[in-house]
Amino acid sequence: MKFFSFRFIFKSIVAIVLLLALCCAAFYFAIYTGAFGEIPSLPELKGKRNSTASEVYTADGVLLTRYYIQDRTNIDYNDISKDLIAALIATEDVRFYEHRGVDFRSLLRVFVKTLLLGDADSGGGSTLSQQLAKNLYPRQQHRHFSTLINKVREMIVANRLESIYSKEEILELYMNTVPMGGNIFGMERAAEVFFGSTARSIRTEDAAVLVGMLKANTTYNPIRNPGKAVERRNFVLRQMTKNGHLPKSVSDSLQGLPLTLNVKKRQVTNSLAPYFTEQLRQELVKWCASQKKEDGQPYNLYTDGLKIYTTIDSRIQRQAELAVKSQMSRLQRLFFQHWRGANPWGSNTGVISSAIRQSKRYKRLSAAGLSESEIMKEFRKPVPMRVFTWSGTAKKTMTPLDSVRYYQRFLNTGLISIAPGTGHIKAWVGGINFDFFKYDHVLSKRQAGSTFKPIVYAAAIQKGIDPCRYFENKRITYPQYENWSPQNSSGGYGGKYTMKGALSHSVNTISAQIILRTGIRPTVALAHRLGIESDIPEVPSIALGSAALSLFEMVNAYTVFANHGRLVKPLYITSITDSRNNVLLQQQSSVSRQALSPQNAAIMLELLKGVIDEGSANDLRKKYGLGMEIAGKTGTTQNQADGWFIGITPDLITGVWVGAEHPAVHFRTLEYGQGARTAMPVWANFMLNLGRQNAFSGYRFSRFDGISQDLKARLDCPSFIPDEPEAEPTEEVKPKKESFFKRIFKKGLGIFKKKKKEEPADEQTPKTEKKK
């Protein structure tokens, strides 16, 4: 028994304790020196700053969107409610002002009550400083002892934080970093999202809800689980009373109140102008990379809290989106009826195969190494999905192949509106729904159709061709251009048109004559001077709109006609500031240059007025009753694949394009598919409803600047002269044969008259001789 003497047992225990202590010290030293991941240094912690979302504002002060990795709005300590701080300390760290980052009494309590006695409600051992360390440096996964390693690591970081920051600064950092569920971070954003409030003005009971969420932000989320959120809120209120922060009577009263939410969460995909903000995001990322901060690092759009101020007007943008929704849903119903029982792509299977290969699913499966047959097998498996309808998002189970076919049946659109004098973009609608159709049709390139004709006519006028010159409306074959023989869409020929008449009625045969008389190269050169940057083929068919151009480019080109010949570069960012409101970029006016003489621009504006007053866009007066002066042009491409309308008013230049994702999908008839029936109604609805808003009531009867008397005289000519009718051949009329008795009567009457005339003549002869 000597072997098991007391001294031996004591020494063994001491040795084990020392060994454990040594192991713990070695374990701690390994963590401290970064063996399990680098521990942030004091300088790094001193410079630690929370990421802040960048915000985009409209010209009228409306928040359009936020760009962020973590949806956060940082605040100062003085902007935090005392009740919010009291609730946090009473619930999460009652000895916050007593420890230096690690509360060993709380750790002992956790060990005894939680681990030994199994009391799950005894609370956690982590201080606010340790929680802050976890928020700033998320936990890492290790092969063994992950929880223990992360806990020790957080203790070390918490101690370092306490050595650098004051208690108030730690509370400020904590309030700005704490995760509140989803992608929401910080108490300021949480107060706004759940209660439409701020961290400064939040009510006591609502502050208790937010603090209660810290234990488990999904379980105690007041939107998802309001009952559990109320239970946790009341626990926090009792803790506040227990620790002397709230009188019991007030606590009891607040615990009896119902949960009252005022949800203000912003969803980027459902915000105003999503196509615009996405295009803006891509450009801002590049801009930030080229701009350096004081520390020499480039700006980060998602973390540096920039404020971007744009030219978009939320009121104009809203009316543009409403017009698109109203008219495109109507047009889609008509399109479905038009193709009922048939595929709009007909026998062109390439439409579907092309759409499959462009889909994210196909690219993902292909990147995973699946063969073509394996990919198509996956495309034929039914899966649950959300699909777009004009009545709202619908949940359906369908194959990805059927989904591709479904979306190829939809017509899409693009709309952009620019203030002519400044070049400020006021509205940007890139499609019918950003969630389901990401492709921006303000920037996509499609054949321009007859909307390119004004550029052809402007080049002719610039060359000196008289706008009152008459051109024969006849079909001509041009052998030098592979027997090109343009036809009129109406099939009608004959008569002579001036430029105004030919442009108003979109006469193809005359546009062809004009471009060949002017020259193809001068026409292309002018198009580029008008701001069109896309390549334009030097072929005569561009006179009919065969060039693929974007709506953005075309509307920009039309601004020249309204700006006395000056091209104004489109502008959509007026200024950018940093998180401290220092101005990083300021630009109120656009760059401009003379692209066309003022006189020729005025002539073009008069010609384009004719399209509305007597031509293809006359419905703007007759059907929609628009009273402002309008100049513009409709456009329709081959097989009605694209419908266009670009309208100029004294206040806005707005262009609309309508068509399917693939040009092979279109209306079968010109009656339904022409630009005057697809794109122009969107434009008309937009301008009609915009003029009904009090802020824009002046748009309803606005007028262009008048033109000189000389210019009026120069344009004073009939738009159309019909062909003179050919004289019909006349037949010789033979006299009717008279009867025998009628001839005898006339002969006798003649002898009698002759005798009567001879008698007076004899009496007058002497008088005559006497005169002689």
Side-chain angles (χ1 to χ4, degrees):
M1 298 298 295
K2 185 178 179 180
F3 180 77
F4 295 103
S5 66
F6 175 78
R7 180 177 293 181
F8 177 78
I9 293 172
F10 177 76
K11 287 183 177 180
S12 298
I13 291 173
V14 170
I16 291 171
V17 170
L18 289 175
L19 183 61
L20 287 173
L22 185 63
C23 289
C24 288
F27 183 67
Y28 178 86
F29 183 76
I31 296 173
Y32 188 88
T33 55
F36 295 97
E38 186 179 354
I39 302 293
S41 64
L42 291 176
E44 180 183 344
L45 288 172
K46 195 170 184 178
K48 191 66 182 176
R49 186 175 62 86
N50 293 320
S51 63
T52 306
S54 293
E55 298 177 336
V56 178
Y57 291 90
T58 65
D60 54 324
V62 174
L63 178 63
L64 270 183
T65 194
R66 298 159 62 91
Y67 302 122
Y68 54 81
I69 296 173
Q70 296 176 337
D71 188 3
R72 182 201 320 272
T73 300
N74 287 334
I75 50 172
D76 296 331
Y77 177 80
N78 294 329
D79 292 324
I80 305 171
S81 159
K82 291 182 179 179
D83 285 338
L84 189 55
I85 293 173
L88 178 67
I89 292 174
T91 307
E92 296 294 324
D93 191 355
V94 293
R95 277 179 294 279
F96 173 70
Y97 291 105
E98 301 171 15
H99 61 69
R100 297 297 299 168
V102 180
D103 188 352
F104 292 101
R105 284 177 58 185
S106 293
L107 288 176
L108 183 62
R109 185 196 72 238
V110 170
F111 178 77
V112 175
K113 289 189 175 183
T114 304
L115 297 181
L116 298 182
L117 302 180
D119 183 3
D121 294 327
S122 64
S126 293
T127 64
L128 288 177
S129 300
Q130 287 174 259
Q131 293 179 41
L132 174 59
K134 183 174 69 174
N135 295 340
L136 292 175
Y137 301 96
R139 290 180 172 179
Q140 301 172 358
Q141 194 65 31
H142 302 279
R143 183 172 296 180
H144 303 292
F145 309 114
S146 287
T147 301
L148 185 58
I149 293 171
N150 284 312
K151 280 285 187 182
V152 174
R153 187 170 182 267
E154 288 160 10
M155 289 180 185
I156 297 170
V157 174
N159 183 259
R160 290 184 177 181
L161 286 169
E162 291 273 357
S163 69
I164 297 171
Y165 294 109
S166 67
K167 290 292 185 179
E168 289 76 15
E169 289 172 328
I170 287 175
L171 282 173
E172 178 184 308
L173 273 171
Y174 182 91
M175 290 289 191
N176 286 326
T177 60
V178 62
M180 300 301 293
N183 201 29
I184 301 168
F185 290 80
M187 287 296 182
E188 179 72 3
R189 279 295 288 145
E192 180 184 9
V193 166
F194 295 109
F195 299 106
S197 184
T198 64
R200 177 195 284 271
S201 59
I202 193 168
R203 298 177 301 183
T204 304
E205 64 271 26
D206 296 337
V209 172
L210 296 183
V211 170
M213 291 176 65
L214 299 179
K215 183 176 183 179
N217 52 44
T218 300
T219 302
Y220 298 109
N221 185 299
I223 298 174
R224 295 182 178 181
N225 301 304
K228 290 184 177 181
V230 169
E231 290 178 10
R232 184 65 183 170
R233 176 198 70 179
N234 293 345
F235 171 80
V236 173
L237 292 170
R238 289 194 296 271
Q239 288 295 106
M240 293 175 71
T241 299
K242 179 180 176 181
N243 290 279
H245 298 293
L246 194 67
K248 188 176 186 304
S249 59
V250 176
S251 176
D252 291 342
S253 175
L254 294 178
Q255 289 180 51
L257 295 176
L259 179 65
T260 305
L261 299 175
N262 183 14
V263 179
K264 296 289 185 181
K265 188 173 183 180
R266 303 183 189 95
Q267 293 291 340
V268 173
T269 53
N270 294 328
S271 66
L272 207 60
Y275 290 93
F276 170 75
T277 54
E278 171 56 21
Q279 174 61 25
L280 185 65
R281 182 192 66 80
Q282 296 176 31
E283 295 193 22
L284 287 171
V285 167
K286 296 177 183 177
W287 181 86
C288 286
S290 67
Q291 306 296 313
K292 304 296 182 182
K293 294 183 285 189
E294 291 178 356
D295 60 3
Q297 295 297 312
Y299 281 96
N300 188 312
L301 178 64
Y302 306 104
T303 62
D304 283 335
L306 304 178
K307 285 185 171 58
I308 300 98
Y309 299 93
T310 73
T311 62
I312 294 290
D313 190 302
S314 69
R315 300 161 297 178
I316 298 176
Q317 177 70 29
R318 189 168 288 108
Q319 291 305 318
E321 292 185 8
L322 288 173
V324 163
K325 182 177 181 180
S326 170
Q327 296 304 309
M328 290 305 296
S329 59
R330 176 196 62 80
L331 191 64
Q332 190 63 55
R333 288 193 299 271
L334 180 63
F335 192 70
F336 283 156
Q337 293 169 6
H338 182 74
W339 282 103
R340 181 175 293 172
N343 292 323
W345 52 86
S347 59
N348 188 351
T349 57
V351 172
I352 302 304
S353 60
S354 174
I356 289 172
R357 285 173 172 78
Q358 291 174 9
S359 68
K360 289 183 178 180
R361 187 186 299 270
Y362 180 92
K363 292 175 181 177
R364 186 176 66 249
L365 294 174
S366 180
L370 273 67
S371 66
E372 187 72 17
S373 60
E374 289 172 328
I375 292 175
M376 291 312 301
K377 187 177 180 181
E378 291 296 317
F379 264 80
R380 291 186 175 91
K381 290 181 180 178
V383 293
M385 62 178 70
R386 294 164 55 251
V387 298
F388 169 78
T389 75
W390 275 111
S391 302
T393 303
K395 294 181 179 180
K396 292 186 178 182
T397 298
M398 59 197 307
T399 69
L401 180 58
D402 286 337
S403 172
V404 169
R405 289 170 177 157
Y406 175 75
Y407 284 116
Q408 287 302 309
R409 299 174 186 271
F410 277 88
L411 297 177
N412 219 312
T413 190
L415 180 152
I416 185 171
S417 192
I418 301 177
T422 62
H424 288 188
I425 295 177
K426 295 299 181 181
W428 180 310
V429 184
I432 57 176
N433 186 287
F434 184 72
D435 283 350
F436 295 93
F437 303 91
K438 300 293 187 185
Y439 198 34
D440 191 336
H441 289 291
V442 168
L443 300 173
S444 65
K445 294 181 181 181
R446 298 290 287 256
Q447 286 191 336
S450 294
T451 57
F452 192 82
K453 288 178 180 175
I455 298 174
V456 176
Y457 284 59
I461 292 170
Q462 184 166 276
K463 189 176 181 180
I465 298 176
D466 191 336
C468 274
R469 175 180 180 150
Y470 286 94
F471 295 86
E472 288 188 65
N473 177 24
K474 62 181 180 179
R475 186 175 178 184
I476 303 172
T477 300
Y478 300 94
Q480 68 273 38
Y481 295 107
E482 299 179 354
N483 291 323
W484 181 54
S485 182
Q487 305 176 55
N488 292 331
S489 58
S490 65
Y493 302 93
K496 297 176 182 178
Y497 285 95
T498 61
M499 286 190 181
K500 184 176 183 180
L503 191 60
S504 297
H505 298 280
S506 207
V507 184
N508 289 340
T509 57
I510 293 177
S511 294
Q513 294 176 51
I514 290 175
I515 195 172
L516 293 177
R517 184 173 292 275
T518 305
I520 298 171
R521 283 190 176 180
T523 303
V524 172
L526 177 62
H528 290 316
R529 282 201 301 278
L530 297 183
I532 294 175
E533 297 179 353
S534 297
D535 291 334
I536 300 174
E538 292 186 1
V539 293
S541 61
I542 62 171
L544 311 185
S546 62
L549 306 171
S550 70
L551 183 63
F552 185 93
E553 291 176 300
M554 289 303 300
V555 174
N556 185 31
Y558 274 51
T559 62
V560 173
F561 304 139
N563 286 334
H564 309 291
R566 294 194 68 81
L567 173 66
V568 179
K569 185 179 180 181
L571 182 72
Y572 40 87
I573 299 175
T574 55
S575 65
I576 300 176
T577 63
D578 64 14
S579 58
R580 297 187 298 273
N581 291 324
N582 296 315
V583 177
L584 304 177
L585 176 70
Q586 188 83 42
Q587 47 182 15
Q588 291 297 331
S589 59
S590 300
V591 178
S592 66
R593 58 179 172 80
Q594 201 72 37
L596 201 64
S597 73
Q599 185 180 48
N600 289 345
I603 292 172
M604 284 308 305
L605 201 61
E606 291 300 309
L607 298 188
L608 289 167
K609 286 182 189 178
V611 178
I612 282 76
D613 296 331
E614 62 182 64
S616 57
N618 189 239
D619 270 356
L620 293 177
R621 302 284 189 223
K622 294 192 303 182
K623 182 177 179 179
Y624 297 100
L626 290 169
M628 74 281 288
E629 271 198 294
I630 308 169
K633 187 71 187 77
T634 56
T636 310
T637 61
Q638 192 171 12
N639 296 323
Q640 303 79 236
D642 308 275
W644 295 73
F645 182 72
I646 303 175
I648 305 171
T649 72
D651 307 290
L652 292 173
I653 302 175
T654 306
V656 180
W657 168 89
V658 171
E661 296 294 325
H662 198 288
V665 178
H666 50 73
F667 280 106
R668 284 173 286 195
T669 64
L670 189 63
E671 178 187 0
Y672 292 130
Q674 61 180 291
R677 298 285 183 269
T678 59
M680 195 174 76
V682 177
W683 191 96
N685 190 267
F686 166 58
M687 292 303 299
L688 198 62
N689 291 330
L690 185 62
R692 289 170 178 163
Q693 309 300 309
N694 289 335
F696 306 102
S697 59
Y699 286 13
R700 288 183 292 178
F701 304 105
S702 56
R703 292 288 179 268
F704 293 112
D705 295 337
I707 60 173
S708 67
Q709 292 298 321
D710 290 343
L711 198 55
K712 279 184 180 179
R714 186 179 171 189
L715 297 173
D716 187 15
C717 52
S719 297
F720 176 72
I721 296 178
D723 292 330
E724 294 183 4
E726 295 181 7
E728 296 183 4
T730 56
E731 295 182 4
E732 185 180 349
V733 181
K734 296 180 180 180
K736 292 183 179 180
K737 192 174 181 180
E738 295 177 340
S739 65
F740 172 77
F741 294 104
K742 192 172 184 179
R743 290 200 305 271
I744 295 296
F745 175 76
K746 286 176 71 177
K747 190 174 182 180
L749 185 62
I751 293 171
F752 175 76
K753 286 182 177 180
K754 186 177 181 182
K755 188 175 181 181
K756 290 279 288 180
K757 286 180 181 179
E758 288 175 351
E759 291 174 355
D762 293 338
E763 292 175 358
Q764 293 175 0
T765 302
K767 291 181 181 180
T768 304
E769 288 177 353
K770 193 175 182 180
K771 286 180 180 180
K772 288 180 181 178

